[in-house]
Amino acid sequence: MFSSFAKAFTNLFKTPQTIDYPLTPIEQEKEHRGLIEYGQEACIYCLKCEKACPPGAILFVPVENPPENEKNKKGLKYHYNPYLCIYCSECVRACPKPDEALWQSNKKSLPATKEDRVNESWFELERLKKQTD
Amino acid sequence: MKKIEVSLDTVREVIEGFYEYKKWHFLTLNGLALAENKMEVQWIFSKYEALEETVVYFAQIAYTDVIPSIVDLIPSAIISQRELVDMFGVQVEGSEKGLYLDEDSLQNPLSGCSL
Amino acid sequence: MIETLLILFAPLIGGLMYGFERKLRARMQNRQGPPLLQPFYDMWKLIDKQAFIVNPYHTILGVMHFITLWIVVAFIILGQNLLYVIFLHLLSTIFIILAGFSVKSIYSHIGSNRELQAMIAYEPILIMVAVGFFMKHGSFDISVIRENGALLASLFLLFLAFLMVMQIKLKKSPFDATEAHQEIVGGVEVEFSGVFFEFIYMAKWLEYAFVYLLLMLFAGNNIFLGIGLFLGVFLLVNLVDNATARIKMKHLLRIVLAIGLTLGMWNLIGLAYV
Amino acid sequence: MKQTINIPLGSQHIALLEPVRFKFECENEKIIGVDSDVGFVHRGIERACTTKFKFDSIGYVVARVCGLCAITHSLSYTVAIEKLLGGEISKKAKYLRILLLELDRIHSHMLCLSHTCENAGFEAMFMRIMGDRELVMEIQELLTGNRVQFDYISIGGVNRDLNSTVALKIKENLYEVKQRVLGYMDEFTNNWSLSLKFKGIGALSLDDAYIFNAIGPLARASGLNIDVRNEIDYLPFDEVGFLMQTHSDGDINARNLVRLNEILNSILMCENIINGLPEGEIFTKIKGKPNGEAIVRFEAPRGELMYYVKGNGTAMLDRVRIKTPTFASIPAFSHIFVGQDYADAPAILASFDPCLSCTAK
């Protein structure tokens, strides 16, 4: 009891452990597992990441006008849903060209707002994917 | 893991003869949906302070069968029995429905036949 | 004039004290804590909430609790009879207890029960404090007490007993079983909502004013001793709050009655014969 | 006239931020009967594991059963699959798995201790332990990349290697945690008000612990020698210095002391692992599709966790059965409450360290 008493008193003269959060930003660890980032130029469209992703947060869906990449034969486009992603980095481990085509950053995803339309537009992509399979 | 087959009529006697409460630890009651409207019920035990000694008693039953209760032998079995009732929709003596699932949720989610 | 202003702003002063205390407590726990004016922001937010009346008696009794407490504080500031003050304060507590019993919530009932038991524990000590002042000055008038010298030394045992009462009245560990938000979710105040909860919230601030004003009486006309006493006890109350867990009602009754009454009795006997 | 009152605790209650309801039948404040309901948020994870996901991603699915013992869930599942596939993982991966398992146990026990203090009305101690818990969370983030959902285990090994700077940081922080834990030990044994709240309250006798199949710290506090770390052979716990911690009183205080001693033992194990980490690969590729059935048990912070996995030679599994510790202890919980004061109920409940997100899986 007396040690707590003394501790409470000495804590008065220490800097608090908590920070003024929105004003003082949190330091992000370098190795923090954050958002997945994609380099279109290096991608060989093997679709290994899509198969490896447990929640299905990466989808390759055909587009009308195929992007300028000669390896992309079927006209696929990479889509990534950061709100579905669990940041497990299975995709990066599955990728044959990690660090160039697919890598993990330490950025955190921002909270989704209504404008992001994460649900409806994503469901649309999932439907499209099902049709092409 | 040692698997021993029992029938529903004898399971109570077998467990009564086998279970010593200071020697065996009752793990749980497990259900497993099989083909042709059948399911397997498993009573899983492990031995205290022994390396990897698990004993499984199992019985293959139809969904309409009534599973005898072992709550009077092992009081803590009640919670697994009620889970089995909720998840598979089988009947276990003295165990009611409704501890895990609400009335308006999907019923018997793990049973192979009702969906 | 000053007295009128003090009376008018008594709840606000109590609120500031409460805000400062939250800050102090946070620092004792190594946290930043809320801003100083957080209690007033809370009040502002509560205005927006829907005020739900469980039953009219409950609400009226809650408001009465607040008004009576304000009158109690006014009486102390005006220097009225100390005994009247203590009994009027008792009345205000009874209002909130009745309010607690008037609804169906079981938490509210248990809270009222505990409030009653706590009253049994601390009320005799408050009366003994008043008797102690009477034996020294021959009068219960607070104005008389304020005009004479400090009685901290001669009423020291009663002062110690009074410290225990403070812990109960301010709802601080170890004697905060009446509120006990992990057990009974705040006890008597659980069914108040919206603007009516504001009265209960302000009553809490007034309770601060009441308790610390009574404490200052021990310093008599010595202002510096009064301020020192206030600051020291303020710190002590919070340090004890940060060093103890909440004890149960039966332990509270036993400890406060056994130790508090004994200390008070010895002090009174001492005053009578020495 | 009605002689008893019914006091509900939950399904939403300040003392327990999880959806469980206990209904106490009380005489004054003495509890004479308990009724519990746990099925508020059934999430159907067992079914999802056999219908929605392939076996190689289920490790990440079951990690979401519980935030506090996520590592134990994914580890149990992964070991079960490794058993079915017949692969052997490297010794270094095994050591790293134990390292994270024990770090997880440290922070989970600290959370439980702080919660017990808070429910006993000791807010300062709650803040103190929670603040110190950050030391462990920090090294967990350094090691795995995340504070809570580690996603560290994969079939065949672990996902990240331990480099020397992280190892040094872990040792530093664990040394600090050890000093703090010794400080709590003093507080829990010597604080007068905590002894009123904890000593002799919520006791479970050894015989009852056997009868109700109590597990985890709850059973060990009653003197029952059950610790799955002692009963399994797939991870080398005996090599890294595991010692079973028991107590004989069975009350809240005993549970707290068992947890504190386990934290100290876990710190020792972590230090041993870092000092004697073998060389080798952290990942071995294991190929195939699971076939057959396996039972795997692990000691989660709350007690024994059991996984039953049955595969049929395809990518989809036949059955994943998760037996979580809290689920198995509910009969023991209900038994302990009878005869106690309602005023003690929140503290008793917190001392069980219930995890309802495990129960409603």
Side-chain angles (χ1 to χ4, degrees):
Chain A
M1 185 175 156
F2 295 105
S3 65
S4 282
F5 195 86
K7 198 164 181 67
F9 190 72
T10 48
N11 275 345
L12 281 177
F13 307 103
K14 282 186 191 158
T15 30
Q17 204 177 355
T18 51
I19 55 166
D20 258 339
Y21 167 54
L23 300 177
T24 325
I26 297 178
E27 256 180 68
Q28 202 66 60
E29 297 286 348
K30 212 170 90 234
E31 294 290 294
H32 179 81
R33 287 182 297 139
L35 294 172
I36 304 293
E37 288 178 351
Y38 173 67
Q40 202 194 30
E41 295 77 39
C43 182
I44 57 165
Y45 295 89
C46 63
L47 307 194
K48 276 187 180 158
C49 52
E50 187 188 20
K51 287 199 191 80
C53 184
I58 294 178
L59 286 184
F60 282 90
V61 181
V63 283
E64 307 292 302
N65 307 312
E68 309 276 312
N69 192 332
E70 74 273 12
K71 293 159 206 151
N72 184 3
K73 303 220 168 58
K74 289 182 200 155
L76 297 173
K77 189 168 185 289
Y78 165 89
H79 291 275
Y80 168 61
N81 187 346
Y83 305 104
L84 212 52
C85 182
I86 59 170
Y87 316 114
C88 63
S89 69
E90 275 288 309
C91 49
V92 179
R93 275 192 292 279
C95 186
K97 292 173 87 177
D99 299 332
E100 292 169 51
L102 207 62
W103 66 93
Q104 186 155 35
S105 69
N106 69 345
K107 291 176 203 134
K108 280 197 168 166
S109 75
L110 294 168
T113 54
K114 222 175 189 175
E115 287 71 48
D116 288 339
R117 301 181 59 81
V118 269
N119 293 335
E120 292 87 349
S121 49
W122 188 258
F123 296 152
E124 191 57 44
L125 287 178
E126 280 178 346
R127 259 196 296 283
L128 221 68
K129 182 77 203 168
K130 246 180 205 158
Q131 280 166 16
T132 51
D133 278 351
Chain B
M1 188 170 88
K2 207 163 73 177
K3 276 193 95 171
I4 304 165
E5 176 147 20
V6 288
S7 75
L8 280 190
D9 310 324
T10 56
V11 61
R12 269 188 57 90
E13 288 152 37
V14 171
I15 289 177
E16 197 167 5
F18 158 80
Y19 182 72
E20 284 172 58
Y21 80 109
K22 289 204 170 172
K23 209 163 155 194
W24 288 95
H25 174 68
F26 175 70
L27 271 168
T28 190
L29 197 61
N30 184 20
L32 185 62
L34 301 174
E36 295 157 9
N37 269 354
K38 291 199 121 185
M39 66 174 286
E40 187 177 311
V41 188
Q42 302 173 335
W43 289 263
I44 308 177
F45 296 87
S46 75
K47 198 171 188 178
Y48 287 119
E49 294 183 78
L51 199 67
E52 288 292 309
E53 268 201 58
T54 323
V55 175
V56 180
Y57 287 95
F58 74 101
Q60 294 197 345
I61 61 161
Y63 281 100
T64 44
D65 289 345
V66 179
I67 302 167
S69 162
I70 52 163
V71 173
D72 51 335
L73 307 174
I74 307 166
S76 62
I78 182 73
I79 204 94
S80 332
Q81 288 189 359
R82 292 192 68 174
E83 195 189 21
L84 197 72
V85 171
D86 275 354
M87 296 297 160
F88 287 88
V90 287
Q91 284 182 41
V92 182
E93 269 179 70
S95 305
E96 317 156 6
K97 262 184 120 143
L99 182 63
Y100 286 90
L101 300 176
D102 287 329
E103 277 171 16
D104 54 348
S105 65
L106 182 69
Q107 297 295 307
N108 321 333
L110 295 178
S111 88
C113 66
S114 68
L115 286 162
Chain C
M1 186 59 206
I2 281 183
E3 281 162 350
T4 331
L5 277 179
L6 267 181
I7 292 167
L8 275 177
F9 288 111
L12 296 186
I13 296 167
L16 275 177
M17 269 160 76
Y18 183 59
F20 180 69
E21 190 196 73
R22 280 174 77 167
K23 195 87 192 162
L24 184 79
R25 215 166 59 194
R27 289 304 299 273
M28 283 176 177
Q29 295 166 354
N30 225 343
R31 294 186 284 128
Q32 293 248 340
L36 185 64
L37 294 180
Q38 186 62 43
F40 300 100
Y41 300 149
D42 289 352
M43 293 295 275
W44 182 249
K45 198 180 93 174
L46 277 170
I47 295 175
D48 281 351
K49 301 276 172 190
Q50 189 191 2
F52 187 78
I53 297 178
V54 182
N55 66 47
Y57 308 107
H58 177 244
T59 311
I60 292 168
L61 284 167
V63 176
M64 288 294 284
H65 167 64
F66 166 70
I67 293 171
T68 345
L69 255 183
W70 204 344
I71 295 172
V72 170
V73 173
F75 272 20
I76 303 182
I77 292 170
L78 291 173
Q80 295 290 322
N81 192 317
L82 181 58
L83 216 50
Y84 288 175
V85 164
I86 287 170
F87 286 130
L88 205 57
H89 176 259
L90 181 67
L91 180 70
S92 84
T93 315
I94 285 178
F95 279 137
I96 191 76
I97 289 169
L98 287 176
F101 277 127
S102 75
V103 286
K104 276 192 174 160
S105 164
I106 192 71
Y107 295 132
S108 193
H109 278 217
I110 298 176
S112 288
N113 256 328
R114 290 186 176 184
E115 203 75 64
L116 263 175
Q117 290 178 34
M119 216 167 74
I120 294 169
Y122 71 72
E123 207 58 38
I125 297 176
L126 281 186
I127 293 170
M128 271 165 143
V129 170
V131 172
F133 281 119
F134 180 78
M135 285 167 83
K136 284 306 268 191
H137 296 312
S139 162
F140 279 118
D141 278 350
I142 291 175
S143 50
V144 176
I145 298 171
R146 286 230 183 88
E147 277 155 20
N148 287 296
L151 290 179
L152 187 61
S154 50
L155 296 182
F156 190 69
L157 294 181
L158 269 172
F159 170 72
L160 290 182
F162 183 73
L163 286 181
M164 292 167 99
V165 177
M166 288 187 67
Q167 216 72 328
I168 301 176
K169 280 315 306 179
L170 298 177
K171 310 230 158 88
K172 296 270 174 247
S173 300
F175 300 140
D176 57 344
T178 49
E179 191 184 49
H181 95 139
Q182 284 90 355
E183 293 157 24
I184 51 172
V185 210
V188 283
E189 59 197 52
V190 72
E191 289 286 325
F192 288 96
S193 58
V195 75
F196 299 110
F197 182 71
E198 295 202 345
F199 287 105
I200 305 295
Y201 202 35
M202 279 197 286
K204 217 172 180 171
W205 301 351
L206 282 172
E207 205 84 72
Y208 274 73
F210 165 74
V211 169
Y212 282 107
L213 279 171
L214 276 193
L215 177 80
M216 306 273 255
L217 293 186
F218 284 98
N221 60 0
N222 188 339
I223 299 240
F224 296 108
L225 180 64
I227 293 171
L229 207 57
F230 169 70
L231 291 177
V233 171
F234 192 75
L235 194 65
L236 182 75
V237 164
N238 284 298
L239 282 173
V240 171
D241 180 47
N242 269 305
T244 49
R246 173 192 312 123
I247 62 170
K248 276 184 280 184
M249 214 59 220
K250 58 181 180 197
H251 294 133
L252 186 153
L253 272 176
R254 251 177 246 162
I255 290 169
V256 174
L257 282 179
I259 301 179
L261 279 185
T262 321
L263 285 174
M265 272 327 230
W266 275 111
N267 203 329
L268 292 187
I269 291 168
L271 285 180
Y273 290 102
V274 178
Chain D
M1 206 184 109
K2 205 168 145 214
Q3 296 289 323
T4 59
I5 50 174
N6 281 317
I7 308 179
L9 186 84
S11 54
Q12 297 284 319
H13 195 278
I14 298 177
L16 184 74
L17 309 171
E18 289 182 277
V20 62
R21 188 185 62 217
F22 284 96
K23 222 192 244 164
F24 297 115
E25 201 182 355
C26 297
E27 266 173 2
N28 281 331
E29 289 204 16
K30 191 176 261 322
I31 297 167
I32 54 168
V34 190
D35 184 26
S36 60
D37 188 353
V38 296
F40 288 97
V41 281
H42 188 80
R43 291 176 290 160
I45 286 179
E46 285 182 358
R47 184 172 158 78
C49 287
T50 53
T51 54
K52 281 240 174 357
F53 296 97
K54 293 195 177 117
F55 81 92
D56 46 2
S57 53
I58 292 179
Y60 298 108
V61 179
V62 291
R64 268 87 193 154
V65 169
C66 171
L68 281 168
C69 34
I71 182 75
T72 333
H73 280 275
S74 54
L75 186 54
S76 310
Y77 173 78
T78 311
V79 168
I81 290 293
E82 279 162 5
K83 265 188 163 183
L84 293 181
L85 296 177
E88 183 62 33
I89 66 161
S90 71
K91 195 160 187 188
K92 187 176 186 186
K94 281 184 180 172
Y95 269 56
L96 286 176
R97 283 177 175 188
I98 300 182
L99 174 65
L100 191 59
L101 195 62
E102 296 308 316
L103 285 179
D104 184 66
R105 191 184 316 281
I106 295 171
H107 99 250
S108 176
H109 277 351
M110 284 173 97
L111 182 105
C112 169
L113 289 167
S114 66
H115 202 160
T116 314
C117 284
E118 206 233 346
N119 279 4
F122 197 166
E123 202 189 320
M125 196 72 186
F126 167 78
M127 294 292 176
R128 185 171 151 194
I129 302 181
M130 277 302 207
D132 294 346
R133 180 168 165 261
E134 283 305 307
L135 289 168
V136 189
M137 304 303 275
E138 207 175 284
I139 49 182
Q140 279 173 348
E141 183 172 358
L142 279 175
L143 183 62
T144 69
N146 208 330
R147 280 160 56 91
V148 178
Q149 284 296 349
F150 307 123
D151 293 338
Y152 188 64
I153 313 284
S154 53
I155 299 168
V158 292
N159 287 341
R160 279 193 185 201
D161 206 350
L162 176 75
N163 63 34
S164 54
T165 45
V166 174
L168 201 69
K169 180 80 180 160
I170 292 179
K171 273 168 96 173
E172 266 172 33
N173 275 15
L174 284 182
Y175 178 77
E176 190 60 31
V177 172
K178 192 174 173 181
Q179 306 308 314
R180 310 278 169 101
V181 170
L182 291 174
Y184 309 150
M185 209 84 133
D186 168 61
E187 193 68 37
F188 277 104
T189 33
N190 295 333
N191 191 314
W192 152 80
S193 55
L194 275 183
S195 71
L196 283 182
K197 289 294 276 193
F198 288 164
K199 287 208 175 122
I201 306 291
L204 179 73
S205 70
L206 177 59
D207 216 39
D208 283 341
Y210 274 118
I211 289 172
F212 290 99
N213 278 310
I215 48 175
L218 176 67
R220 288 196 286 279
S222 304
L224 175 53
N225 288 332
I226 177 168
D227 193 319
V228 183
R229 285 176 286 177
N230 207 17
E231 299 173 5
I232 55 177
D233 55 0
Y234 19 86
L235 285 188
F237 279 107
D238 46 343
E239 283 174 27
V240 295
F242 162 71
L243 279 174
M244 187 163 340
Q245 308 295 333
T246 53
H247 203 281
S248 54
D249 289 355
D251 54 5
I252 302 182
N253 187 45
R255 272 170 233 147
N256 289 337
L257 291 179
V258 164
R259 288 207 173 90
L260 286 167
N261 283 323
E262 272 181 20
I263 294 178
L264 291 178
N265 185 231
S266 291
I267 292 175
L268 180 76
M269 284 160 80
C270 289
E271 281 167 353
N272 285 345
I273 288 168
I274 291 173
N275 290 336
L277 192 67
E279 291 293 314
E281 286 295 308
I282 54 163
F283 188 79
T284 333
K285 195 130 182 90
I286 299 178
K287 283 198 164 149
K289 297 267 162 37
N291 197 357
E293 46 188 349
I295 289 177
V296 166
R297 297 188 298 144
F298 261 105
E299 182 75 14
R302 289 159 185 76
E304 174 191 55
L305 174 73
M306 187 206 84
Y307 266 68
Y308 168 91
V309 176
K310 184 167 190 290
N312 52 7
T314 64
M316 298 305 256
L317 295 172
D318 264 0
R319 177 86 167 102
V320 177
R321 165 80 165 115
I322 310 168
K323 193 221 70 168
T324 53
T326 310
F327 163 79
S329 316
I330 289 172
F333 292 178
S334 305
H335 175 75
I336 292 172
F337 276 125
V338 177
Q340 304 292 327
D341 279 342
Y342 174 71
D344 289 324
I348 296 175
L349 189 56
S351 78
F352 299 148
D353 202 1
C355 173
L356 270 305
S357 72
C358 274
T359 312
K361 57 193 175 289

